[in-house]
């Protein structure tokens, strides 16, 4: 492998950080032992800027380019955003309806196979094969949801992001 640039981030498929690399897990490092890296990333990812600096935290996060693309929100270098779970309220869902169709005539079948619910009929003939011609009462279908969070994590594969602590100092050409 060629010598990395200081501050370069790569993905490694192993459970350890290679020599001269560190996990991108948000850990604090002493500036006095990482002056070259500090001159490149500063306190972009945290630290007090006097004695400590922080590495990027890419645990459970996807890397994203800073800046703004056509139709996209502007993102700053080091900005953290997003969430692993989301609770949707009824106000966030688009207006829509659910209708449950039935027939307004008496049923002629005791089985729902290839049939629709009938509005009335004997207890053993609650279905009919004719096409529905009316809607059930709106109260027949209850609201669903319950304001519970759902998983919002994109599909993933567990790999480690590591940052080069030593290597070539990148030129600003």
């Amino acid at each position: 492998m060629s010598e990395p640039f200081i501050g370069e981030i790569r993905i490694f498929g192993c459970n350890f950080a290679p020599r001269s690399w560190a996990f991108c897990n948000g850990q604090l490092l002493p500036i006095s032992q990482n002056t070259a890296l500090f001159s490149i990333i500063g306190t972009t990812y945290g630290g007090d800027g006097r004695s400590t600096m922080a590495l990027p935290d890419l645990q459970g996060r996807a890397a994203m380019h800073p800046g703004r693309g056509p139709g996209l929100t502007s993102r700053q270098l080091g900005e953290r955003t997003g969430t692993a779970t989301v609770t949707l309220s009824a106000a966030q869902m688009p207006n829509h309806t659910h209708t449950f169709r039935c027939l307004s005539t008496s049923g002629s079948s005791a089985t729902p196979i290839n049939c629709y619910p009938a509005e009335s009929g004997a207890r053993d003939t609650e279905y009919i094969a004719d096409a529905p011609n009316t809607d059930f009462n709106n109260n027949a279908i209850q609201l669903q949801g319950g304001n519970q969070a759902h998983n919002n994590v994109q599909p993933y594969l567990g790999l480690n992001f590591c940052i080069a602590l030593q290597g070539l100092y990148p030129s600003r050409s």
Side-chain angles (χ1 to χ4, degrees), residues 8-145:
E8 177 180 339
I9 295 175
R10 291 187 188 174
I11 298 174
F12 289 92
C14 47
N15 61 358
F16 61 91
R19 183 177 307 148
S20 300
W21 292 77
F23 288 124
C24 289
N25 60 5
Q27 67 181 312
L28 292 176
L29 296 179
I31 293 172
S32 61
Q33 295 175 19
N34 299 280
T35 54
L37 181 60
F38 179 71
S39 72
I40 296 168
I41 66 172
T43 57
T44 301
Y45 306 103
D48 62 14
R50 292 185 313 276
S51 61
T52 62
M53 58 181 278
L55 297 180
D57 187 357
L58 286 167
Q59 298 177 110
R61 297 184 179 276
M64 181 180 202
H65 192 282
R68 181 183 178 133
L72 300 176
T73 304
S74 180
R75 301 288 180 207
Q76 300 298 316
L77 185 64
E79 179 182 357
R80 294 179 188 180
T81 188
T83 183
T85 60
V86 173
T87 301
L88 292 177
S89 68
Q92 292 170 306
M93 290 191 277
N95 288 336
H96 66 284
T97 59
H98 296 269
T99 56
F100 188 54
R101 304 283 293 165
C102 65
L103 269 88
S104 59
T105 58
S106 296
S108 59
S109 174
T111 176
I113 298 172
N114 296 323
C115 291
Y116 296 94
E119 185 177 88
S120 60
R123 181 124 178 100
D124 60 345
T125 60
E126 297 174 354
Y127 305 96
I128 192 165
D130 297 338
N133 63 3
T134 190
D135 293 339
F136 258 59
N137 185 307
N138 288 336
N139 294 327
I141 301 174
Q142 296 180 345
L143 295 176
Q144 297 297 315

